[in-house]
Structures are given as C-alpha cells and as structure tokens.
Amino acid sequence: MLCALTVRRLRAGVSLDDFERAWRLDAMPPGWVRAYTVRRLEDPAEIVSFGFFDGSIDDLRRSQREFDYAGQRRRTDELVESTGADGVYEVVLEQGG
C-alpha cells in the first residue's frame, strides 16, 4: 500500500471551500482506496491531503496520468502559498481498523 501526501499552506484570502472545489474528484480513480484532506486546528491555512493507493509505484503513476493529476495540481497550485512535504510513501505499519 502506498500513501501520497502533500502539506500545503493556502494563500491569504483562500478558503478551504475554494481549495475543495479545485481539488475534489467526481470519482476515485482505479487503485485509489481512500483520500483525505485535513486542516490544522491551530492554523487553518495549513492543510494536508493524503490518499492510499493499492498497487505499485508504476501503477500509481499510470493512474495519475489517466485522471490528469497534473491538471488537478495546476488548478490548486494557484491557491497555495507554499508546499511542505510532498511525496509518495510506502505504508510500513498499519494499526487499527
């Protein structure tokens, strides 16, 4: 299982609703199990988007091309002041659920 994760700081005046409209997908692409966007309680301008992908890194990259992930990123990048962590991680420990 892989986890794609990006930490962002929204530009001043950009609401979470603005970001959601640009980021939300109509349907999850194949291989993607679940995705979340969370907001830091102490700093609402900081949001973290992460999703879980069941497949290889090559499968994930193919999925990103097929659903135009680059286009989705372009739509949201104009709303973002800065980006922190941004990458694909391997799930090495799962607890609960």
Side-chain angles (χ1 to χ4, degrees):
M1 181 80 61
L2 301 175
C3 177
L5 179 141
T6 305
V7 178
R8 298 175 176 92
R9 171 166 295 287
L10 298 177
R11 291 185 186 278
V14 172
S15 71
L16 185 59
D17 288 340
D18 296 333
F19 180 83
E20 182 182 339
R21 277 190 294 277
W23 188 244
R24 182 175 288 283
L25 296 172
D26 293 332
M28 291 297 289
W32 291 92
V33 177
R34 180 165 286 146
Y36 299 91
T37 295
V38 297
R39 178 171 52 182
R40 186 173 177 182
L41 291 175
E42 298 84 7
D43 183 0
E46 183 178 302
I47 59 173
V48 180
S49 298
F50 59 99
F52 297 97
F53 185 83
D54 190 13
S56 70
I57 188 67
D58 291 335
D59 295 336
L60 183 146
R61 298 291 183 223
R62 186 172 27 263
S63 174
Q64 287 178 326
R65 284 191 306 274
E66 290 172 1
F67 80 88
D68 190 26
Y69 176 71
Q72 185 186 31
R73 283 294 295 253
R74 279 191 300 277
R75 289 190 301 276
T76 59
D77 283 349
E78 64 189 36
L79 307 174
V80 174
E81 176 183 301
S82 61
T83 301
D86 184 23
V88 177
Y89 302 80
E90 178 183 15
V91 175
V92 295
L93 175 64
E94 182 176 346
Q95 300 183 63

